[in-house]
Amino acid sequence: MTQREPGLSLGAELRAAAREAPDACFLRMQGIDLSFSQVDQMADRMAAALAAQGVARGDRVSLMLPNCPEFVIIWFALARLGAVTAPVNTAFRGQVLRSAIDLVESQWLFAHASLRNQWQEQLSALATVRRVVLVGPDTSVTDVSAAGNVAVQHYDGLMVSAGSTPALPDVAVAPADLCLLLYTSGTTGRSKAAMMAHRFVLSQADGVIEGLGLRPDDVLYCPYPLFHLDAAVMTVAPALRLRCVAAIGERFSVSRYWDEMRAFRATVFDFMGATLTMLWKQPPGPRDREHQARLGWGVPLPAWAPAFEARFGCRLVELYGSTEVGAILYTPLDEARRPGSCGRAGPLWEVQLHDADGFPVPVGAVGELVVRPRAPDALMRGYYGMPEATLEAFCQQWFHTGDLLRQDAQGFFYFIGRNKDIVRRRGENISAAEVEMGLETHPEVLETAVYGVPSDMTEEEVMACVVTRPGSALTAPGLAEHATQAMARFMVPRYIRFVGQLPKTPTDKVEKFRLIQQGITPDTWDRETSPTPF
């Protein structure tokens, strides 16, 4: 990779790309290709229109949009003005949606017509929003019932208002300025908005390029939401730096995945959660290798990864990252795979594993992953409007990820589970992630969620919610018997419940708190009251 000037803002980087590769495709989505120069010009027009209506440096602007070209254009337009994009989860509604927008004090909201039922009912209750811009084909202003002090207009009309030669204000945007507020997933509590500078986004992009060996001829495919780190920071931004293609799907679909990969001519893709398992457990077919993908990256990487690679003809690599720190651990591409490892630390971060008292743990022991930056803005700045949460996360001058890992003598890290995703059963600390991986080795199991429930013996018992293949005849005793071959006996779930689907965020993270709230239901199998023969 040719080293580029590191001290640019996002808008300046787009301008440079438009000069160097004006006609090269940058954004591929919804059946259209947009070149670097087209995105640059559209961003200019939107920036000029917003500036004319008072959007200025430092302003926060909320986006409630599905994956669409307008999302990217608005992001770059705001970056050009020194304003901050705050995209909200498109599944948010009610008090959760209102709280997220009020948290960042946005005066502007770009909202999609397809999500109208969610955001329109909250308009009159939003504390700071004064303008709504409607995006999408069904954008009739007259159909929007808003509070009297909220103005509503069309996205297309806003673009037209800038004219063919938009007049941009002279705004000196620094690499250290904020450009993005990404909300944490909110699977365990209230969502927090992680503050990210231009320099964070572009340095993360460079790390992805180097860590994954990306090339200028790559087509980077991501079917996950643009309000998530994977799509925005780890797909669009690397494509910008490389002058290559960011191919953004509308949403993840196991049945359409490979067809979309073929249509996009994707060479690199990412996976998360159970998505790789769901792809793997589709029936083999003659078109399994009929694609151009050479590399897939994500977490976790299951034990059957070599068989996936052989079947689909592409390499899989594991890394580690989070919204707050970005991707910081990468598996070396030029070394043999270490099963279970998510790699070694990149050069911009100092990482350690700490015990509950904040002391480093010995090599081979499990500890919480803590991180410190070696360069400015290598991590997020903190949580917007939440100083207490920021101080807690950066305790003792380390950012505490809340994830448990272990490290071997060669510096490779191995993910164990979330600090709050450990089940304490009869003196044993059980990783929910390891139990899930063991259960998912059964060919009839598509995905699982494992968590602790209260035990009459004090501490907890292991419970698993399981999604099976359609038409599967798998029974709970049969799965429990399989589990005894896949994991230690003390890890085998006492409770098993079959469900049609798991509750998830749009970024495919299981909302275990919802399952925990449901408790042990009447359709839950109990190994101790319905013993198996093993």
Side-chain angles (χ1 to χ4, degrees), residues 111-191:
H112 202 271
S114 66
L115 303 171
R116 181 174 298 184
N117 289 340
Q118 294 164 238
W119 56 260
Q120 181 170 311
E121 65 181 13
Q122 298 301 318
L123 274 184
S124 61
L126 293 173
T128 57
V129 169
R130 296 294 174 262
R131 288 184 178 272
V132 172
V133 181
L134 286 168
V135 179
D138 177 21
T139 54
S140 175
V141 171
T142 58
D143 291 341
V144 177
S145 299
N149 59 348
V150 178
V152 183
Q153 59 193 126
H154 295 287
Y155 174 89
D156 291 343
L158 195 58
M159 288 287 275
V160 169
S161 70
S164 57
T165 55
L168 282 173
D170 184 14
V171 182
V173 182
D177 289 345
L178 294 183
C179 76
L180 193 59
L181 295 172
L182 286 187
Y183 292 88
T184 58
S185 296
T187 56
T188 58
R190 182 187 177 191
S191 293

Side-chain angles (χ1 to χ4, degrees), residues 226-246:
L226 279 162
F227 58 74
H228 187 265
L229 187 87
D230 279 29
V233 177
M234 300 181 70
T235 302
V236 173
L240 174 64
R241 292 290 270 178
L242 273 177
R243 316 310 191 225
C244 73
V245 181

Side-chain angles (χ1 to χ4, degrees), residues 283-314:
R287 303 189 71 192
D288 282 351
R289 286 194 168 214
E290 192 178 314
H291 57 79
Q292 299 179 44
R294 64 179 183 84
L295 179 72
W297 59 270
V299 63
L301 196 61
W304 41 260
F308 185 102
E309 294 173 324
R311 173 179 165 186
F312 292 102
C314 56

Side-chain angles (χ1 to χ4, degrees), residues 72-137:
V72 178
I73 291 163
I74 296 164
W75 181 25
F76 282 108
L78 293 170
R80 195 151 276 170
L81 296 177
V84 185
T85 300
V88 299
N89 189 316
T90 54
F92 284 177
R93 62 188 322 124
Q95 173 62 42
V96 175
L97 174 61
R98 187 164 67 251
S99 176
I101 296 176
D102 287 349
L103 172 66
V104 300
E105 305 170 302
S106 294
Q107 293 192 20
W108 285 69
L109 169 64
F110 284 81
H112 202 271
S114 66
L115 303 171
R116 181 174 298 184
N117 289 340
Q118 294 164 238
W119 56 260
Q120 181 170 311
E121 65 181 13
Q122 298 301 318
L123 274 184
S124 61
L126 293 173
T128 57
V129 169
R130 296 294 174 262
R131 288 184 178 272
V132 172
V133 181
L134 286 168
V135 179

